[in-house]
Amino acid sequence: MRSNFLVRALSLFLLAPCTAFAEERPSDAAERPPNVVLIFADDLGYGDLGCYGATKLQTPNIDRLAAEGRRFTDAHSASAVCTPSRYALLTGEYPLRAMGGRGVWGPLPTNHELIIDTDALTIGKAFKNEGYATACLGKWHLGFGRGANDWQPPLRPGPQDLGFDYYFGVPLVNSGSPFVYVENDTIVGYDPDDPLVYGGKPPSPTPTFPEEASRKSPNRFGGALEAHRIYDDEKTGTLLTEKAVEFITENRERPFFLYFPTPNIHHPFTPAPRFKGTSQCGLYGDFVHELDWMVGEVLRSLEDNGLSDDTLVIFTSDNGGMLNRAGRDAFKAGHEINGDLLGFKFGAWEGGHRVPFIARWPGRIEPGTESDQLIGQVDLLATFMALTGQSDELPEGKDSVNLLPALTGDPEEPLRTELALMPHKPRNLALRRGKWMYIDAQGSGGFTGSRPHHHAWGGPAAVEFAGDVNSDIRDGRIKKDAPPAQLYDLEADPSQTTNLYRKSPQVVKEMQARLNAWRSPEATKETAQKDGGSAPAEAPQKDARGEAAPAATPAARVAPARNGAARADASKPNVVVIFADDLGYGDLSCYGPTGVETPHIDALAAEGFRSTDFFVPANVCSPSRAALLSGRYPMRCGMPVARHESEPKYSNYGFSPEEITIPELLGPAGYRSLMVGKWHLGMDVEGSHPIDAGFDEHLGIPSNYSSGRGPDYNTLFRGKQVEERDVPLTELTKRYTDEVVRFIERRKDQPFFIYFSHHIVHSPLKPREEFVGASRKGKYGDFIKELDHSTGRVMRALRDAGVDDDTVVVFTSDNGPTRFGSTGGLAGGKYCTMEGGHRVPAIVRWPGRIPAGQVSDTTVSSMDLLPLFCELAGVEQPNDRTIDGKNILPVLLGEETRSPHKFLYYYNGTNLQAVREGDWKLHLPRTPRDQPFWSKKRDPTKGFVTLDQPKLYNLEQDVRERHDVAAQRPEVVARLQKQADAIRAELGDVRTTGSDQREIDLEDPQER
């Protein structure tokens, strides 16, 4: 194989457009293939090096590398996020192709399996196939094993199955547990008698650091005490460097490939003590100094072993710099971590993915040169294949382009015509084409922190902090009249100061069409390499309205296309969620004699599945809505209390843009989404609007219809624009229903998702005039009659459009009723963790698939809708976070009668008040101080305001929660108390911050 390499390599070098300088290389240079050292820094920004303009820190070794080689000024990571960036680097594929086309957009979760197919060609295999010694030393963060990783050796498959002879390093990320080292497929210091246990109590000790070092997450592992003792953040850089020098020395007689993904400079900023205080910009600069030392040691080792002239060294970073605490301190000291670029890590703006890229190869790369070629790290696979003479063996479907001509020469034409760029938020997927940069949404699609205590700053607030200028942003917010997407001329405006979206509509149209094609990985496989890694040249099909059609391929977590979609797969049902407000378990006639006559809703129940044990994870509206859209408990998604728009303290409290929603997940499968009605998740909060949450279309008002909700309480918005002011509540239900009916007719040939969020039956009780007196229960009952009529119109529209059999309809409520409604005999109601607050009506209908007439007591939840809809659409639910919902399709089909939930957790605001296991429900002690503002006063409808001792109920025998059996079943009490402690540690409580609890952007959440 080696002789084959020499023939091909010599031919390559003779044909390559090298300068005259290259001919000075010694005549014996081809006697062995070149070694390759790839140094892959973590979170190093474009402005973090002296050779890229930094003045508050010094990087003499990296600067020397640039002086002796070539510095690139338009190089990009494929993603602004660590895991997907590493996937692209190793595989030569865009991260949106990962995991069978489902895509990976965020950092890989702790227990995830290996996300690279062991049969796939990687850069490790490219070298190993040619006889190279290969090693990966440093951060991995691509998963281990198959199925859930239990962290028990052997950790296979892993790096050794992807072409690396040897691996040593940090298995995940230095800010996240497990805080151990992994060598090959075992944990360093592993003791089978003291295994590493995810969720083990107590967590094993690991070093901690002050706030100025930025955040290191709490350890989520117990056990493995010796392995934890060995791990030392401040010694990691030195340890990895010693391993790198050792590898070079041991393999000096044979060609080698060293992949050196350093933990520097990811937070926490933990340089060895000898580097602390050596820069002028705090720990941030000190950590860069350690990184520069690490590079210097590698270069010195090459020199000491006589290998410098025979080694190609590439230095780059996985994404742009992050504006965490240490990053902000560095900024305040005068250090601009991403130079003049807009934005930061995780975002689609240039600062998120334009990175340093330096290549040195004495005798082949002319020293002291600079290149403005557009290149991507996804191109390194093709480059290394060419370097080792394997160009003809690059598999189809790779997005990689050979960069050797740009490394060793000066091509007149660009090697790459297009580059897809992925931020964290799929809707902000971006496309670079020549000088143009197009981002298919507002904002960066990255972090959104903006307050002093926030760890991850980004978006408009970070632009204001950095003193940058962007035409869409004023005072740290997106302007209300900003364009819906972004177009920049990077040749004239590399700092992205001016959005040209409205000035260049033809370019926008072309870029959007190309980007929509990229959203379908299957569509690009045959042509990915024919045009410098570009998407198919053929424009997407048009729908009946002349809209560009997004791809229908199920690539999970790729953003929903902005335009229409040709319905390529009729097996994907439409989805309609009708979400009532404050509707009680006993308010419908299909749920018993206390209900109002609701013939249309009763017909849904008769033709489908009616649940008698449907759990919503909140007893008030905002958190219940956040949980439905995200599939996560409100404490986990950072929205545990209801917004009150008129109170100043809620001005920054909204649905986190970091949450991934149902419409964002269904978009890649060709679904177009509509949100109609009440939002109540912070429409005026940056990044919290329905359009920001992934909906393509929106018509509604911000919150409850009440003058106490601020000046826009009766303002109807279409998207982010005012449709009409002072709209009477009596008109809203009809307006909403008209919108839904029109949408169904317009979108009947393509899959769609509708979230119809009613105001009915929340106060004020103002039904339309024609329904006044229609019931025997006053205006409350009349309002329910209007709700039923609206539901009938929606069902008729589905039938008229011919999509009735192709549509899943879900009808449910956000929480239990107020004093006007009926719980059907359950204790409590809204604002309460008795069953009447959390158990609501729920009906699911899908003709021909879900058997008609089912009445089920299997416990299911509103959080289950996200996994259910993903299953129906053929997309995978997010894998970078905990999803609390479960796929309940087997339950709906009548194939399973067991609940998928072992435990359910009843929170009242931020206070954990009850834990349920099967039929056992344990109410936990609490005081008025623990309660949210809506539950502090004693009220017979609000359950236990004060509870000194736990109370246990068997809901099968006592669903009204009247007979406490705690004294008779102490073992059940003890078991559920233990579970309560475990979930407090994970999700938090009034005075406890959970390990997997999103920060609540609200002071004193329990108080109004």
Side-chain angles (χ1 to χ4, degrees):
M1 182 175 289
R2 187 71 51 76
S3 61
N4 188 30
F5 163 84
L6 291 175
V7 171
R8 290 179 291 179
L10 283 170
S11 299
L12 173 70
F13 292 159
L14 289 172
L15 293 174
C18 299
T19 64
F21 173 84
E23 297 175 2
E24 298 175 9
R25 185 172 173 83
S27 60
D28 62 350
E31 290 182 1
R32 64 176 262 176
N35 309 306
V36 176
V37 174
L38 172 58
I39 304 172
F40 201 49
D42 196 342
D43 289 3
L44 187 79
Y46 188 82
D48 277 335
L49 304 175
C51 54
Y52 279 85
T55 60
K56 298 295 182 178
L57 50 78
Q58 294 76 45
T59 52
N61 294 298
I62 300 172
D63 295 353
R64 171 193 161 199
L65 197 65
E68 297 174 353
R70 178 160 295 172
R71 185 174 70 93
F72 287 79
T73 60
D74 200 358
H76 300 262
S77 54
S79 169
V81 187
C82 45
T83 293
S85 176
R86 290 158 201 276
Y87 176 91
L89 178 87
L90 263 62
T91 66
E93 296 178 0
Y94 287 125
L96 53 80
R97 299 193 194 280
M99 296 186 289
R102 298 189 297 273
V104 57
W105 294 76
L108 210 62
T110 305
N111 294 342
H112 205 282
E113 67 179 343
L114 179 69
I115 63 169
I116 299 177
D117 191 330
T118 54
D119 293 330
L121 177 66
T122 65
I123 58 176
K125 289 182 180 179
F127 287 105
K128 190 174 178 65
N129 291 343
E130 287 295 326
Y132 277 63
T134 58
C136 171
L137 304 174
K139 173 179 172 178
W140 181 241
H141 212 178
L142 292 164
F144 293 91
R146 287 284 173 251
N149 175 19
D150 62 5
W151 292 97
Q152 304 310 307
L155 301 177
R156 300 292 285 269
Q160 290 175 288
D161 301 285
L162 298 177
F164 294 104
D165 298 320
Y166 179 69
Y167 170 70
F168 184 96
V170 178
L172 200 70
V173 59
N174 51 316
S175 66
S177 53
F179 298 113
V180 297
Y181 300 119
V182 169
E183 185 169 28
N184 291 327
D185 59 7
T186 194
I187 295 168
V188 178
Y190 175 74
D191 180 355
D193 293 329
D194 183 24
L196 189 66
V197 179
Y198 181 73
K201 303 295 180 185
S204 297
T206 188
T208 57
F209 300 94
E211 289 184 7
E212 55 266 27
S214 294
R215 180 176 298 173
K216 179 178 178 179
S217 299
N219 193 5
R220 300 177 69 180
F221 286 81
L225 293 178
E226 177 62 17
H228 279 97
R229 186 192 64 78
I230 293 171
Y231 185 89
D232 189 327
D233 301 77
E234 294 185 345
K235 294 180 180 178
T236 297
T238 300
L239 176 60
L240 292 174
T241 304
E242 291 172 350
K243 292 283 185 181
V245 169
E246 181 181 337
F247 174 80
I248 291 170
T249 302
E250 290 181 351
N251 291 281
R252 60 184 178 273
E253 301 300 330
R254 58 182 295 196
F256 61 78
F257 169 57
L258 171 59
Y259 170 46
F260 192 17
T262 71
N264 304 56
I265 58 171
H266 193 286
H267 61 90
F269 293 80
T270 55
R274 65 185 182 277
F275 296 104
K276 292 182 179 180
T278 59
S279 76
Q280 295 176 270
C281 49
L283 286 172
Y284 190 101
D286 300 343
F287 215 22
V288 176
H289 281 188
E290 182 178 57
L291 172 66
D292 184 71
W293 170 83
M294 295 165 70
V295 173
E297 291 299 293
V298 170
L299 297 180
R300 187 172 299 109
S301 177
L302 292 173
E303 294 166 0
D304 292 345
N305 287 285
L307 299 173
S308 293
D309 290 347
D310 298 319
T311 304
L312 168 62
V313 178
I314 294 176
F315 177 92
T316 187
S317 175
D318 66 343
N319 46 249
M322 178 177 171
L323 201 59
N324 43 34
R325 164 65 189 273
R328 298 197 294 275
D329 287 348
F331 237 100
K332 293 173 183 176
H335 175 63
E336 297 184 2
I337 62 181
N338 290 323
D340 293 331
L341 302 178
L342 183 73
F344 300 91
K345 175 182 176 177
F346 264 51
W349 294 326
E350 289 295 285
H353 49 78
R354 188 182 293 214
V355 292
F357 190 101
I358 301 167
R360 186 193 79 170
W361 187 7
R364 288 295 169 186
I365 296 176
E366 187 172 0
T369 53
E370 183 179 292
S371 172
D372 62 359
Q373 277 275 342
L374 172 65
I375 65 173
Q377 293 167 357
V378 71
D379 298 327
L380 287 178
L381 176 66
T383 303
F384 294 154
M385 291 290 283
L387 181 70
T388 54
Q390 303 176 79
S391 296
D392 295 339
E393 300 173 29
L394 190 68
E396 291 185 2
K398 296 290 185 180
D399 302 297
S400 196
V401 173
N402 175 20
L403 300 179
L404 268 182
L407 296 180
T408 61
D410 188 16
E412 294 183 2
E413 298 297 325
L415 300 179
R416 174 178 274 285
T417 60
E418 289 185 346
L419 186 64
L421 296 160
M422 296 174 54
H424 184 46
K425 274 290 185 181
R427 64 173 174 266
N428 290 74
L429 182 65
L431 180 65
R432 174 74 181 276
R433 192 178 187 193
K435 69 177 184 178
W436 296 109
M437 175 67 167
Y438 177 74
I439 304 171
D440 200 26
Q442 294 179 332
S444 72
F447 292 128
T448 58
S450 60
R451 303 177 73 179
H453 64 282
H454 288 167
H455 166 60
W457 278 46
V463 170
E464 182 182 37
F465 174 88
D468 294 328
V469 174
N470 180 272
S471 59
D472 289 353
I473 297 171
R474 180 186 296 123
D475 299 328
R477 291 176 175 266
I478 298 290
K479 296 177 182 176
K480 290 187 176 181
D481 61 349
Q486 302 168 73
L487 179 72
Y488 300 100
D489 178 353
L490 296 184
E491 188 176 289
D493 182 23
S495 298
Q496 296 177 289
T497 63
T498 307
N499 183 0
L500 302 176
Y501 179 92
R502 293 189 173 120
K503 293 184 178 179
S504 303
Q506 185 58 37
V507 177
V508 168
K509 182 178 179 180
E510 294 172 0
M511 296 289 279
Q512 191 176 75
R514 302 286 279 181
L515 195 58
N516 284 340
W518 269 118
R519 285 195 166 96
S520 173
E522 294 297 325
T524 65
K525 281 186 176 178
E526 295 182 0
T527 55
Q529 294 173 270
K530 292 181 180 179
D531 190 22
S534 67
E538 182 179 355
Q541 295 179 344
K542 304 287 184 178
D543 68 9
R545 302 173 69 218
E547 296 175 327
T553 302
R557 304 182 62 211
V558 180
R562 192 169 295 279
N563 299 315
R567 189 167 187 177
D569 187 353
S571 67
K572 298 171 186 171
N574 307 306
V575 175
V576 177
V577 174
I578 301 173
F579 205 46
D581 194 347
D582 292 359
L583 187 75
Y585 181 83
D587 276 337
L588 306 176
S589 51
C590 56
Y591 274 86
T594 61
V596 177
E597 290 295 324
T598 50
H600 297 295
I601 298 171
D602 293 358
L604 280 180
E607 296 167 359
F609 173 100
R610 181 169 69 87
S611 173
T612 62
D613 195 356
F614 190 84
F615 169 83
V616 289
N619 53 39
V620 288
C621 35
S622 297
S624 183
R625 291 157 202 274
L628 182 148
L629 290 171
S630 67
R632 287 151 56 87
Y633 277 102
M635 289 287 279
R636 202 186 300 276
C637 68
M639 197 101 195
V641 303
R643 275 181 53 85
H644 201 280
E645 284 72 13
S646 64
E647 298 286 341
K649 68 175 288 184
Y650 293 90
S651 60
N652 291 314
Y653 177 62
F655 191 41
S656 171
E658 303 306 318
E659 291 299 316
I660 298 173
T661 64
I662 292 171
E664 287 183 295
L665 291 161
L666 299 189
Y671 285 73
R672 188 166 182 83
S673 58
L674 167 69
M675 188 273 152
V676 165
K678 169 181 170 178
W679 181 239
H680 210 180
L681 294 173
M683 217 163 87
D684 59 338
V685 178
E686 181 67 39
S688 300
H689 191 281
I691 299 300
D692 297 324
F695 286 98
D696 297 298
E697 301 180 29
H698 159 253
L699 181 74
I701 68 173
S703 180
N704 298 334
Y705 194 98
S706 167
S707 58
R709 294 289 170 168
D712 286 329
Y713 79 94
N714 59 1
T715 301
L716 185 65
F717 287 85
R718 183 174 295 279
K720 298 187 177 183
Q721 306 301 317
V722 172
E723 174 96 342
E724 185 178 337
R725 296 192 183 277
D726 302 323
V727 180
L729 177 58
T730 54
E731 298 296 319
L732 277 177
T733 301
K734 183 179 185 302
R735 295 278 293 269
Y736 293 159
T737 309
D738 290 345
E739 185 77 9
V740 170
V741 169
R742 286 192 295 266
F743 182 84
I744 290 170
E745 174 58 31
R746 174 160 50 89
R747 302 297 304 174
K748 62 186 178 182
D749 295 325
Q750 299 87 24
F752 57 76
F753 168 59
I754 299 172
Y755 171 49
F756 190 173
S757 176
H758 282 277
H759 296 285
I760 303 174
V761 281
H762 195 290
S763 61
L765 303 177
K766 292 187 176 182
R768 190 175 175 84
E769 184 177 357
E770 64 197 78
F771 295 99
V772 175
S775 76
R776 298 179 181 178
K777 296 192 175 183
K779 289 186 178 180
Y780 186 89
D782 298 344
F783 223 5
I784 293 176
K785 293 293 286 187
E786 185 173 11
L787 171 67
D788 184 65
H789 179 266
S790 169
T791 302
R793 286 193 60 200
V794 172
M795 298 310 298
R796 184 165 58 251
L798 293 172
R799 290 191 294 271
D800 292 347
V803 297
D804 187 40
D805 290 346
D806 300 323
T807 303
V808 176
V809 177
V810 178
F811 180 97
T812 188
S813 175
D814 63 346
N815 47 250
T818 60
R819 60 188 176 88
F820 298 106
S822 170
T823 64
L826 302 174
K830 184 177 181 177
Y831 309 120
C832 177
T833 50
M834 308 299 283
E835 284 301 287
H838 288 257
R839 190 179 297 211
V840 296
I843 299 165
V844 186
R845 175 187 182 269
W846 187 13
R849 295 299 303 276
I850 293 177
Q854 290 188 83
V855 179
S856 172
D857 63 359
T858 301
T859 308
V860 292
S861 168
S862 62
M863 296 181 293
D864 300 333
L865 295 180
L866 182 145
L868 170 66
F869 298 158
C870 287
E871 173 72 16
L872 298 178
V875 299
E876 186 173 282
Q877 59 185 316
N879 53 34
D880 65 341
R881 64 200 61 208
T882 298
I883 298 296
D884 297 299
K886 310 295 181 184
N887 175 21
I888 56 171
L889 185 59
V891 176
L892 299 177
L893 297 178
E895 299 170 353
E896 178 61 74
T897 58
R898 292 174 301 178
S899 173
H901 299 278
K902 181 172 176 57
F903 297 101
L904 292 173
Y905 308 106
Y906 295 69
Y907 274 87
N908 202 3
T910 62
N911 181 213
L912 178 64
Q913 295 194 340
V915 177
R916 180 177 172 187
E917 179 188 34
D919 291 318
W920 293 113
K921 182 177 178 183
L922 183 72
H923 283 273
L924 302 165
R926 81 281 308 248
T927 68
R929 181 182 172 214
D930 299 326
Q931 307 279 355
F933 59 84
W934 56 76
S935 294
K936 289 183 179 296
K937 294 181 180 180
R938 290 184 178 274
D939 187 316
T941 67
K942 293 183 179 180
F944 308 113
V945 175
T946 298
L947 191 59
D948 296 327
Q949 297 296 323
K951 290 182 179 290
L952 179 69
Y953 300 97
N954 186 319
L955 297 181
E956 182 181 23
Q957 302 168 1
D958 179 26
V959 74
R960 298 186 179 191
E961 300 170 277
R962 293 179 175 178
H963 305 292
D964 175 18
V965 294
Q968 289 79 27
R969 299 302 301 268
E971 78 285 359
V972 177
V973 173
R975 184 170 71 245
L976 293 183
Q977 283 182 319
K978 181 179 180 181
Q979 186 60 31
D981 291 339
I983 205 60
R984 283 191 188 101
E986 183 176 337
L987 296 185
D989 206 334
V990 178
R991 286 170 287 279
T992 301
T993 300
S995 62
D996 192 21
Q997 175 188 348
R998 185 177 294 284
E999 190 170 21
I1000 304 167
D1001 206 345
L1002 194 63
E1003 295 181 9
D1004 299 321
Q1006 299 290 73
E1007 305 296 333
R1008 177 175 287 182

